[in-house]
Amino acid sequence: MSLTHSLPVSYRFLSVSQLVSQQHLSCVSNLSWSTNQQRAWDKEAELTAPGHRALTRVNLLLIGCLTGGRGGEWRLTDSSGSVRCECVSPSPLWLNRPVFLPHWNYISHDASGQDQEGGFLELIGCPELLLPDQGLAAVRGGGAVGVSEAAGLVRHRVRGQRVSVFGQVGSLCPLLVVGGTPFFCFTLMDSTTSLPVLVKEVSHLWWSGCVTAGQTVCVTVLRVCVLRRWRGNHILCVTEDSQLHADYTPIGTPTPVDIRSNTPVDSLENTPVDSQMDVMSQPQKEEEDSGSGEEAEPNVRIKQSRVISYQGTVTEVVNEGAGLYVMDGKVGLCLAYQPTARRKLRLGDRLELHHVHFLFRPCPDFPPSMLCACLRSTIRITAFSRVGGTLPSHRCPGDGLLPRLLLQNNRGVAEYLWACHLSSQLSVSLVHQQCVCILSWRLMEMLRTTRRQRPRDIYTEMLDEPHVCPLSQYHVDPSVPQYLSVSDLIGSLKDSCWSSMSLRSLLPTDASGLTRSQINSSLSWSCRTLSSDPQAGDSLRRRPLLLVGVLELPSKTSELKHVLQLRDATAAVCCVVTETREGEEEGQRSCFNTAWIGCLVGVLRFTMVTERFVQSDFPSYQHLDQDRFITDKHCRIYLQFSLSDLHILSPSVAMETHLRYKGPGGNVAARKQTEEEEEERVERKRRKRREEPDSSCSASSVTLTTDSKPCVSMVIRVEQKEGMAWRNTGVGQQEGEEEAGLRLGFSVRAALIGSVVTWGRDPKNGPMTEQEAEGEGCRKVALVFSGVCSRWFPILQSGCFYRLVVANTADPSILIGCGVPGRSGVDLHVDSTLQVRSDWRFHTLTRPLLLNTCGQAPPPAVLTVSDVYHCRSDLVGFQGVVSERLNLSDRTTQSGLRRTGSEQVCPGLRLTLCDLSGRSLQVYLDLSHAPYPPGLLPGNTLLLSGFQRRLSRTGSVYCSSAPISCVTVTAVSPHRWSGPPPSPRMHLGGWSVACEEGGVTVAQVRGHVVCLLLLQLQWVCSDCGRKYTQSCSHPQCDSTSSVFQSSAKLVIDDGTGEAHVWVSGGLVRPLLGLDEAQWEGLQRALRVRGHIRVYPRGRSLVTDEADSDWPLLGFLLSTCSSVVTRQSLVLTCRRKFTRHTPEDVRRFSRGDRDFLTRLTRPPQLTCLSLTHT
């Protein structure tokens, strides 16, 4: 362009100070543009970065002088001020020259909005020099020498010698600042040799922008110096008189050298992007094979990276502070191993990368192809972005901290990338206003247990050959945890809840013989459990899952009131929480420590539970594929985990106190430390009053109202907790309650330790003082929780100590319960009652926090299932493992679900509990006036207290819930539960004698079949159960569906006695020795007549059928007489107790005489499983 022509009228000149102070929006100015060219430029910019607008055009012109600034930056300076300039390819000829800028971008702030010095210029074209070009001085010393010749001079160092060297730039290292001294290095190379050059002269730091990889340059007046921190030792160093001659052409043009491998090949600088992707994908098979030789951990491979060059465009800014970007929509870029650049990359920047490391799948949360820059890599911007910078929607206050943590801790690139991804996820879903960078780094160090790398040696990384850096090797772990927010977890479980359900799989194997009521009752409830670890069982994802949230008490809107909840910024999920017992006792127990409330935790291992409730009316098994018979369905989602599977990221104040006193010897030391801190705090306040005597009065009043908040407290030991239920407490209906007059509540019976104590501040869960232990003997108190206060239910457990604190009061009478007035001469056995208020707080006092005089109370007597059989008490408390669960239907619905408000709940449950001996007990729960309890799943261990022990009409023992009954989950099952323990082995002779109450109910029996007493095969109506041939035999039943039922009665002998065993359903087929095809043929043959019955008469078997020529009849008679009676079986049977006389009087005749004999009736058994021996 010629400056002799007149400028357009619309353009005007602007000073630097006016530009910085008045231009608040990013803009572009191009003097040579026409209107059509500008529109085409805008359209191309918006196509390059969809969703972003191109820079606004302004008609402004700038004149100034280009000078070198601090740290090697370029600045445009005029009399009013200066502004930083970024150049694509600056020339040494521009330095300290007045220039006219016709083409430039002005960015009013950096992409993150944190630029403290304001905006900066981007020169999108060459400036116009306003003075004639004088060129650079000629090369001194009679000419420059090549790299090979200079290498000999370096090896034989001569003090005071200066040398000029020309060569091709092999690598350009970024500008570093070490000990306050800025410097950078680059290498000159020819076909055989390379030499490093060190630039630390402040006046020459601007060379870093003029030197590019692959360019031939000449550097004059170099000296050989000693770099003590580098083992290579001798290096060429720039002096004050040195000059840089760019694009130097020596005599005899050398062969171009590949700057990556020192071989004469073409560079990738002009290769299309698709071809570059092909080049990067070619070495993967070889790389994977070569990198799998050493394994740091199971499933973790160590792979070698490749060094390549690449060109591309920034299409996404993933995390600017962490140095993470995406190029061309499919290649990741990590700049964390380089120092932070002055200008952050923007969306749409065109880059040229040299000596970058190519990594394949280092982190599953990032693109498979990753480019990582080390201290030897060159990042050069070849074209500036045409769109303005945008602020990210979610940013961490400590953005940029992750690269510093990487430098301090020497972690691998795979771990760093995972921590960066986790921080971006936590910035959206975290509840606490904290630096997510630190939290994500803590989680990474805890979960990624790979060995730390050696400290980085910057000189070795920049100068050594062959090149070695932290990016040369990297770990590939396919099982790295995947973070999910609570809302994403709940949404995924709900989406897969019904799609993964198969109705046929929810029914037993002999489901084809079930009636309508049996099918719908079996489908009314089902459970799906998923593990967070795919290696432990079925999981929601292919990688282990990670949750982060705050543990809280259940809220008003919580779906399940019995358990805690885990909350983040997106949602909350209910959690069944247990913890490991401390001390000599092993195993799990229910969560009782209030210090966990309010802690920010990372959940490492957990089980996802989805309980499905279906209201259906399927006529028969054949109609299960028709969804129109499902009238309603819903699900409940919650988690199960132990506190040992949590990692505390941010402890609560109570947790800090708990951890301080935890451990051997911590009680005395921590108590002493607390007393010293308190004395120091009081002494500080006294000194402050002495220093400010005039304001002593006002200061003391302020301290009383702000720092000092009086409160009263008492220590209690929970002895008994009743179950939660809807109760009429005499209080009116409150907001959110469904039924007027009923409030959710429970009560606790506790022992008061000592007396009520007044405090000047909230003691929380601090150590127990002697004053709290003083007072009268151990008194009893009944605490009543209702409404909002019922949220304390999941954390209050029997046998534990708690401090009840009432804040903002100094009146101890508030904790004195009301009693029942009595008459003279009448002894009252009623405890005083205390109504808990919503602002009262409970704090758990663990064993280290208690005084030695207040030892742990003996736990209440907890029976096993076997003990319940022999117990004579009406109310029992026992523990067992759930082996079976069944919903009980009521008279209002057919499928066992009753409607309350907008939900379907279960009116009752029948649980089968077993112990280690294999004995089982059935427990009936009435949920008509209680909220639905979670965690009642097969495999979980339950503690049931306050249950009624009852006897059935047949004499068997079972338990049922009472209004005071309480169910607590004390241990959660592993995901792959192997089932209940095997039933105990019994001899029939011993079982027949043990007819008394409390005998074994279920046991294994081994014996042979003596004879068949009955075999009955029939088709019945699926609705009424009557005989079914072509139609139902009942005249008022119009059902068109039928089911096949089978039953048999055997006599089994094991050598000690005999027993009558009933076999029904799918167990009849293996008993008869029939395969599937024969069994189906038998059903088809019986379809016409609908019924057949085989029984013994004398020594032969007969039937009710008059047609003796029926082929099916002969087949069954032959099978029953030959196959059945020759079998040896192992049976698992349930004993049918009876209250009839155990002996019968039988008459036997011998000749003309009759004999009366008492015979013991054989035990009546129901077969549960059958195997052949």
Side-chain angles (χ1 to χ4, degrees):
M1 159 183 183
S2 176
L3 297 178
T4 58
H5 295 79
S6 60
L7 297 175
V9 178
S10 59
Y11 280 80
R12 65 185 180 90
F13 285 95
L14 195 70
S15 67
V16 172
S17 62
Q18 290 176 329
L19 176 69
V20 175
S21 61
Q22 299 178 9
Q23 188 63 37
H24 301 296
L25 296 178
S26 300
C27 59
V28 58
S29 177
N30 197 321
L31 184 60
S32 62
W33 272 352
S34 64
T35 303
N36 292 335
Q37 288 176 328
Q38 178 195 351
R39 291 175 180 173
W41 187 88
D42 292 345
K43 185 176 181 180
E44 184 180 351
E46 293 176 357
L47 289 176
T48 305
H52 296 77
R53 299 189 61 180
L55 293 172
T56 305
R57 182 183 181 184
V58 295
N59 298 335
L60 300 175
L61 301 176
L62 294 174
I63 292 181
C65 183
L66 285 176
T67 60
R70 60 182 182 182
E73 66 181 10
W74 289 68
R75 302 191 72 86
L76 179 68
T77 307
D78 64 5
S79 59
S80 63
S82 65
V83 64
R84 178 164 58 91
C85 287
E86 298 293 338
C87 308
V88 173
S89 298
S91 172
L93 302 176
W94 300 351
L95 189 64
N96 299 322
R97 304 289 296 278
V99 294
F100 166 66
L101 304 183
H103 319 291
W104 48 269
N105 297 337
Y106 177 70
I107 309 301
S108 59
H109 55 77
D110 63 3
S112 62
Q114 293 180 330
D115 193 353
Q116 302 297 330
E117 298 182 1
F120 59 91
L121 285 174
E122 294 177 345
L123 303 187
I124 58 177
C126 294
E128 297 290 341
L129 300 179
L130 299 181
L131 294 180
D133 184 7
Q134 298 178 357
L136 295 174
V139 179
R140 299 182 183 178
V145 298
V147 177
S148 300
E149 185 178 351
L153 299 177
V154 171
R155 286 192 296 268
H156 304 86
R157 178 190 176 197
V158 178
R159 185 177 297 275
Q161 183 181 16
R162 300 293 184 266
V163 62
S164 298
V165 182
F166 70 88
Q168 187 177 0
V169 178
S171 63
L172 174 63
C173 303
L175 186 69
L176 299 178
V177 179
V178 177
T181 303
F183 68 94
F184 73 94
C185 298
F186 64 93
T187 59
L188 296 177
M189 58 191 306
D190 58 13
S191 58
T192 59
T193 311
S194 65
L195 279 179
V197 179
L198 175 65
V199 181
K200 67 176 183 177
E201 292 290 338
V202 178
S203 58
H204 294 333
L205 293 178
W206 55 270
W207 285 11
S208 60
C210 301
V211 178
T212 59
Q215 182 185 25
T216 301
V217 300
C218 179
V219 185
T220 64
V221 196
L222 295 172
R223 65 185 179 91
V224 180
C225 61
V226 177
L227 189 59
R228 292 188 178 90
R229 297 185 181 180
W230 179 44
R231 55 189 174 188
N233 217 349
H234 291 178
I235 189 174
L236 292 176
C237 187
V238 171
T239 63
E240 293 183 358
D241 299 329
S242 299
Q243 290 184 348
L244 175 67
H245 295 262
D247 298 325
Y248 180 80
T249 304
I251 301 175
T253 304
T255 304
V257 177
D258 181 13
I259 59 177
R260 299 164 296 146
S261 58
N262 294 354
T263 57
V265 298
D266 294 333
S267 174
L268 287 178
E269 294 179 11
N270 299 320
T271 307
V273 174
D274 294 338
S275 300
Q276 298 175 36
M277 293 300 298
D278 294 339
V279 172
M280 289 192 297
S281 61
Q282 288 174 1
Q284 287 316 299
K285 293 183 179 180
E286 178 182 345
E287 175 191 355
E288 292 180 9
D289 295 340
S290 63
S292 60
E294 178 186 355
E295 292 191 1
E297 293 181 14
N299 300 326
V300 179
R301 292 183 299 168
I302 300 178
K303 301 176 69 175
Q304 303 290 332
S305 64
R306 286 180 59 90
V307 177
I308 66 170
S309 296
Y310 186 80
Q311 281 185 345
T313 304
V314 178
T315 55
E316 181 184 352
V317 180
V318 179
N319 191 330
E320 183 184 87
L324 297 176
Y325 306 87
V326 174
M327 299 178 64
D328 303 323
K330 49 188 175 182
V331 180
L333 177 62
C334 176
L335 305 180
Y337 285 83
Q338 282 196 342
T340 304
R342 294 187 303 268
R343 179 195 180 276
K344 302 292 181 66
L345 297 182
R346 294 193 294 118
L347 190 68
D349 284 342
R350 179 75 177 172
L351 303 182
E352 183 181 280
L353 312 177
H354 293 281
H355 204 282
V356 291
H357 294 262
F358 172 62
L359 291 72
F360 188 71
R361 298 189 185 277
C363 180
D365 298 307
F366 283 86
S369 300
M370 287 293 300
L371 299 178
C372 298
C374 64
L375 293 181
R376 199 167 182 175
S377 305
T378 303
I379 311 297
R380 177 171 173 261
I381 301 176
T382 58
F384 293 115
S385 173
R386 301 181 181 184
V387 297
T390 57
L391 296 177
S393 57
H394 299 280
R395 294 184 64 256
C396 174
D399 198 10
L401 180 62
L402 287 173
R404 294 197 294 272
L405 293 173
L406 175 65
L407 180 63
Q408 296 171 2
N409 296 275
N410 302 312
R411 303 296 297 204
V413 62
E415 293 85 351
Y416 176 76
L417 292 177
W418 185 81
C420 292
H421 176 75
L422 181 61
S423 66
S424 64
Q425 298 291 100
L426 292 179
S427 62
V428 180
S429 61
L430 193 61
V431 176
H432 281 43
Q433 298 296 327
Q434 297 185 10
C435 177
V436 296
C437 296
I438 297 180
L439 296 180
S440 60
W441 194 267
R442 290 177 184 172
L443 282 170
M444 183 272 295
E445 290 186 324
M446 177 189 60
L447 298 176
R448 307 296 299 271
T449 56
T450 54
R451 187 184 306 172
R452 293 190 180 186
Q453 299 179 352
R454 291 177 297 179
R456 295 176 67 181
D457 187 342
I458 60 173
Y459 301 103
T460 299
E461 187 174 336
M462 292 188 297
L463 305 176
D464 264 7
E465 290 291 348
H467 173 68
V468 177
C469 73
L471 297 174
S472 300
Q473 288 185 346
Y474 62 99
H475 295 83
V476 176
D477 186 3
S479 61
V480 59
Q482 179 181 2
Y483 170 78
L484 283 182
S485 64
V486 174
S487 62
D488 291 340
L489 178 70
I490 296 176
S492 299
L493 291 175
K494 286 184 177 180
D495 293 341
S496 61
C497 171
W498 305 110
S499 61
S500 62
M501 183 180 69
S502 173
L503 296 179
R504 298 182 187 273
S505 64
L506 303 179
L507 299 176
T509 55
D510 57 341
S512 59
L514 299 180
T515 62
R516 176 196 292 258
S517 60
Q518 291 173 333
I519 289 177
N520 294 313
S521 177
S522 300
L523 296 177
S524 62
W525 177 88
S526 61
C527 177
R528 180 192 184 206
T529 59
L530 298 175
S531 175
S532 61
D533 188 359
Q535 297 182 357
D538 297 335
S539 182
L540 193 64
R541 297 286 193 272
R542 295 183 178 179
R543 294 159 48 192
L545 297 181
L546 170 66
L547 296 178
V548 176
V550 179
L551 274 181
E552 295 178 347
L553 295 172
S555 61
K556 292 182 179 179
T557 59
S558 180
E559 187 179 18
L560 302 174
K561 306 295 184 181
H562 294 78
V563 293
L564 302 176
Q565 64 180 12
L566 182 74
R567 176 181 295 277
D568 63 5
T570 61
V573 61
C574 299
C575 305
V576 177
V577 185
T578 61
E579 60 181 280
T580 305
R581 296 179 181 269
E582 297 180 356
E584 299 179 356
E585 299 181 0
E586 297 181 355
Q588 296 181 355
R589 60 170 300 169
S590 54
C591 177
F592 71 97
N593 196 347
T594 57
W596 286 94
I597 306 302
C599 291
L600 179 67
V601 297
V603 189
L604 310 182
R605 287 177 294 274
F606 56 93
T607 301
M608 297 159 280
V609 180
T610 305
E611 293 190 23
R612 297 174 290 211
F613 301 87
V614 178
Q615 187 174 4
S616 61
D617 190 19
F618 289 101
S620 65
Y621 181 79
Q622 288 74 23
H623 296 82
L624 291 179
D625 55 347
Q626 303 179 25
D627 294 339
R628 61 188 178 91
F629 293 105
I630 298 178
T631 58
D632 194 10
K633 61 182 180 180
H634 76 281
C635 64
R636 293 179 185 267
I637 296 174
Y638 56 91
L639 306 180
Q640 293 184 158
F641 55 81
S642 173
L643 292 179
S644 59
D645 296 327
L646 303 186
H647 180 72
I648 301 176
L649 300 177
S650 178
S652 61
V653 177
M655 179 56 70
E656 291 179 350
T657 304
H658 172 70
L659 296 177
R660 185 189 312 164
Y661 286 88
K662 190 177 181 180
N667 189 4
V668 178
R671 198 185 303 271
K672 183 177 180 181
Q673 179 183 357
T674 304
E675 295 175 356
E676 293 177 353
E677 291 177 355
E678 182 65 20
E679 293 177 0
E680 184 180 354
R681 188 176 65 87
V682 173
E683 185 62 28
R684 262 197 323 267
K685 290 185 176 180
R686 291 177 181 175
R687 287 198 303 266
K688 188 175 181 180
R689 294 195 195 101
R690 296 193 202 101
E691 296 174 357
E692 301 177 2
D694 297 337
S695 58
S696 59
C697 182
S698 61
S700 61
S701 62
V702 170
T703 303
L704 180 60
T705 56
T706 58
D707 294 340
S708 178
K709 294 182 179 180
C711 60
V712 294
S713 72
M714 65 178 183
V715 178
I716 61 173
R717 184 183 67 243
V718 176
E719 295 186 346
Q720 181 183 356
K721 181 177 71 170
E722 297 182 1
M724 189 182 299
W726 296 99
R727 300 176 181 178
N728 191 349
T729 58
V731 184
Q733 181 182 9
Q734 293 190 0
E735 182 181 359
E737 297 179 359
E738 298 179 356
E739 302 180 41
L742 295 180
R743 302 184 69 186
L744 195 64
F746 69 99
S747 61
V748 168
R749 186 172 179 269
L752 178 61
I753 309 300
S755 58
V756 180
V757 178
T758 304
W759 301 80
R761 57 182 178 84
D762 190 353
K764 296 186 181 297
N765 62 331
M768 186 177 177
T769 61
E770 296 180 358
Q771 185 180 3
E772 291 180 287
E774 296 176 354
E776 301 178 1
C778 189
R779 295 169 294 163
K780 307 295 183 182
V781 61
L783 302 177
V784 179
F785 300 78
S786 62
V788 180
C789 300
S790 60
R791 70 183 189 272
W792 293 102
F793 181 85
I795 211 72
L796 298 177
Q797 307 298 343
S798 300
C800 299
F801 289 83
Y802 300 89
R803 176 183 284 130
L804 174 57
V805 179
V806 181
N808 300 323
T809 183
D811 184 13
S813 63
I814 197 173
L815 290 179
I816 299 177
C818 61
V820 177
R823 299 178 181 179
S824 59
V826 177
D827 295 333
L828 295 178
H829 300 279
V830 179
D831 301 330
S832 59
T833 305
L834 196 62
Q835 182 72 39
V836 179
R837 302 180 184 178
S838 59
D839 57 341
W840 293 7
R841 297 291 181 267
F842 288 85
H843 298 281
T844 305
L845 297 181
T846 56
R847 185 173 302 175
L849 299 175
L850 296 170
L851 291 176
N852 295 331
T853 58
C854 186
Q856 194 79 12
V862 178
L863 306 178
T864 63
V865 172
S866 301
D867 296 335
V868 176
Y869 279 100
H870 305 285
C871 179
R872 299 298 178 182
S873 176
D874 293 335
L875 286 179
V876 294
F878 61 97
Q879 184 171 289
V881 179
V882 180
S883 60
E884 185 182 358
R885 166 186 166 139
L886 178 66
N887 278 19
L888 301 179
S889 60
D890 57 8
R891 296 180 180 179
T892 60
T893 61
Q894 186 175 4
S895 63
L897 300 176
R898 103 182 138 80
R899 183 174 293 277
T900 299
S902 60
E903 291 184 344
Q904 296 285 338
V905 295
C906 181
L909 297 175
R910 189 191 74 185
L911 302 178
T912 302
L913 272 67
C914 62
D915 56 12
L916 297 178
S917 65
R919 302 189 67 176
S920 60
L921 177 70
Q922 291 185 345
V923 181
Y924 293 84
L925 273 69
D926 181 13
L927 303 179
S928 57
H929 298 286
Y932 182 78
L936 308 185
L937 308 178
N940 285 0
T941 303
L942 305 183
L943 174 63
L944 290 82
S945 58
F947 274 70
Q948 296 179 346
R949 181 183 180 276
R950 299 193 174 204
L951 291 177
S952 66
R953 294 178 180 178
T954 60
S956 61
V957 179
Y958 71 97
C959 291
S960 62
S961 61
I964 63 172
S965 300
C966 180
V967 180
T968 306
V969 180
T970 59
V972 295
S973 67
H975 183 71
R976 293 179 177 175
W977 185 53
S978 58
S983 302
R985 286 284 185 95
M986 292 291 293
H987 293 293
L988 293 178
W991 212 356
S992 61
V993 174
C995 297
E996 72 279 1
E997 176 188 326
V1000 177
T1001 305
V1002 179
Q1004 286 187 5
V1005 176
R1006 182 169 182 171
H1008 67 277
V1009 180
V1010 177
C1011 64
L1012 178 69
L1013 298 180
L1014 177 66
L1015 173 64
Q1016 182 170 305
L1017 306 176
Q1018 61 182 349
W1019 285 93
V1020 299
C1021 177
S1022 62
D1023 283 350
C1024 63
R1026 302 292 182 90
K1027 181 179 178 181
Y1028 193 99
T1029 53
Q1030 301 300 325
S1031 62
C1032 183
S1033 59
H1034 195 278
Q1036 298 180 356
C1037 180
D1038 56 354
S1039 174
T1040 59
S1041 59
S1042 61
V1043 296
F1044 182 77
Q1045 292 184 345
S1046 58
S1047 61
K1049 187 177 183 181
L1050 310 173
V1051 177
I1052 301 295
D1053 189 352
D1054 67 345
T1056 64
E1058 291 185 352
H1060 293 177
V1061 181
W1062 283 93
V1063 183
S1064 61
L1067 299 178
V1068 177
R1069 184 188 64 80
L1071 177 66
L1072 298 178
L1074 304 179
D1075 55 19
E1076 292 287 349
Q1078 292 174 328
W1079 186 248
E1080 293 177 0
L1082 178 64
Q1083 298 179 29
R1084 289 193 301 268
L1086 193 61
R1087 170 73 73 173
V1088 177
R1089 301 195 182 186
H1091 177 270
I1092 190 171
R1093 186 168 176 263
V1094 178
Y1095 55 92
R1097 178 177 293 174
R1099 295 186 177 182
S1100 61
L1101 295 173
V1102 298
T1103 66
D1104 295 335
E1105 295 294 331
D1107 186 5
S1108 60
D1109 296 333
W1110 188 21
L1112 180 61
L1113 178 60
F1115 173 76
L1116 288 177
L1117 293 178
S1118 175
T1119 302
C1120 294
S1121 60
S1122 61
V1123 178
V1124 176
T1125 57
R1126 298 177 182 177
Q1127 300 183 69
S1128 295
L1129 305 175
V1130 176
L1131 308 175
T1132 301
C1133 301
R1134 182 184 299 276
R1135 173 74 181 272
K1136 290 183 177 181
F1137 290 95
T1138 177
R1139 293 190 176 183
H1140 298 294
T1141 57
E1143 296 180 345
D1144 291 338
V1145 178
R1146 299 287 300 274
R1147 180 186 297 272
F1148 295 91
S1149 299
R1150 289 292 181 268
D1152 57 349
R1153 296 185 179 183
D1154 294 338
F1155 299 92
L1156 295 178
T1157 305
R1158 295 182 180 273
L1159 298 178
T1160 303
R1161 297 185 60 187
Q1164 304 296 309
L1165 308 179
T1166 300
C1167 182
L1168 303 179
S1169 65
L1170 180 150
T1171 57
H1172 293 80
T1173 59

